[in-house]
Amino acid sequence: MRGLRSLVVEDDAGITRRLVQQLEFLGLDVTSADTAGAGLALVDAAIRASRPFDVCFVDLNLPDFPGLELIRSAAALSPAPYIVVVTGVTEPVVARACAQAGANWWVNKPFALVDIQIALAFMPPKATPSGEIIG
Amino acid sequence: MRILVVDDDPSLCKAIVTFAQGLGHDGIAVLDACSALAQLELATESSTPFHVAIVDVNLPDLSGIELTAALCERRPDLWVLMCSAATSPIVVEACVRAGAKGWLRKPVEFVDLQIALAFVPTTGEGD
């Protein structure tokens, strides 16, 4: 997991702080945004800078537009990040919509470190330019 | 979707199958890995393949990890959800390497099962 680039898009500062701490503990580089628009801009800018995010943690209820739209937009980019929904919503129909929009994993709030570890364990391996497989 | 449940706890098997049937899926449960492989073969022979397997990590004959590897070798398109109270990173990573696609923590909450099933790629059948 070390060295993976992650983005947290969450408008609750307490949850962001906790998730950032957990990801840093696991050795990831972490950036955060508190709106969907800011998150999508960061994803796009990272791709343009040839330093794309490997994984994005996305809340569904964001202040500017729904996390579902952020998921759909981020998943359509290339390379698309591995997208983990982090939410208090527990409606399967919403989960299905997220999966269809391109989300890869779902973590219910409140979450524990192990939930984040499991989500990251299921990420597809990432090939580095040197051909090394990490993650 | 056709769902194969593999767990040595009969009451959990029954609960998952009943719940899956309530959602409109077709579920079969077995208590060990050998029976699971037999059911997989039967389903393939009868052209009614399973779409999802829910596999306990700890089974009485093979381990759930070994069973997952065997299931995925025979049916690479099978979506295997591991089901376990164990959350050791080593075990989780072994399950991923074996071909598992998802994880259900025990005790199983049915809403978590429903969400996990929502992430199974489907062709629309039983969706």
Side-chain angles (χ1 to χ4, degrees):
Chain A
M1 295 302 149
R2 294 205 165 272
L4 289 178
R5 287 171 47 76
S6 66
L7 174 65
V8 174
V9 188
E10 165 67 62
D11 63 335
D12 182 314
I15 292 171
T16 298
R17 195 178 316 117
R18 182 171 179 202
L19 185 50
V20 167
Q21 283 172 348
Q22 291 177 338
L23 293 169
E24 287 179 342
F25 173 78
L26 295 171
L28 280 75
D29 293 331
V30 192
T31 304
S32 62
D34 59 4
T35 65
L40 188 56
L42 283 166
V43 172
D44 193 43
I47 290 172
R48 287 174 193 276
S50 299
R51 297 189 70 228
F53 288 105
D54 301 297
V55 53
C56 290
F57 294 84
V58 179
D59 181 25
L60 291 180
N61 295 313
L62 292 164
D64 48 351
F65 58 86
L68 180 61
E69 289 183 35
L70 169 60
I71 292 165
R72 188 173 289 113
S73 299
L77 296 173
S78 181
Y82 181 79
I83 299 174
V84 179
V85 178
V86 182
T87 182
V89 174
T90 53
E91 293 169 35
V93 66
V94 177
R96 186 80 190 129
C98 289
Q100 288 173 333
N104 303 100
W105 201 266
W106 183 281
V107 171
N108 284 326
K109 293 177 185 173
F111 52 86
L113 176 63
V114 69
D115 298 313
I116 304 303
Q117 282 179 297
I118 291 172
L120 292 171
F122 279 85
M123 275 182 70
K126 173 193 172 189
T128 66
S130 63
E132 180 193 6
I133 302 293
I134 63 171
Chain B
M1 289 189 289
R2 292 203 75 217
I3 301 173
L4 175 62
V5 182
V6 193
D7 198 299
D8 60 350
D9 178 346
S11 59
L12 180 60
C13 283
K14 186 178 179 187
I16 291 178
V17 167
T18 302
F19 182 75
Q21 288 172 340
L23 295 174
H25 303 301
D26 177 18
I28 291 176
V30 294
L31 302 176
D32 58 57
C34 289
S35 304
L37 292 169
Q39 283 294 335
L40 189 81
E41 196 170 328
L42 275 175
T44 304
E45 283 172 2
S46 60
S47 300
T48 53
F50 291 105
H51 304 96
V52 178
I54 299 174
V55 176
D56 183 17
V57 170
N58 295 308
L59 293 168
D61 43 2
L62 296 176
S63 77
I65 297 167
E66 290 170 311
L67 174 61
T68 297
L71 291 171
C72 293
E73 185 185 352
R74 289 163 174 75
R75 282 280 318 283
D77 58 330
L78 183 68
W79 193 267
V80 179
L81 294 170
M82 304 308 296
C83 185
S84 178
T87 51
S88 149
I90 292 170
V91 172
V92 175
E93 284 163 19
C95 293
V96 173
R97 280 197 299 275
K101 298 292 194 300
W103 192 273
L104 277 174
R105 282 176 70 177
K106 286 185 179 178
V108 176
E109 298 285 344
F110 286 127
V111 70
D112 293 338
L113 173 59
Q114 235 179 320
I115 287 170
L117 292 176
F119 276 76
V120 177
T122 66
T123 54
E125 181 195 343
D127 199 10

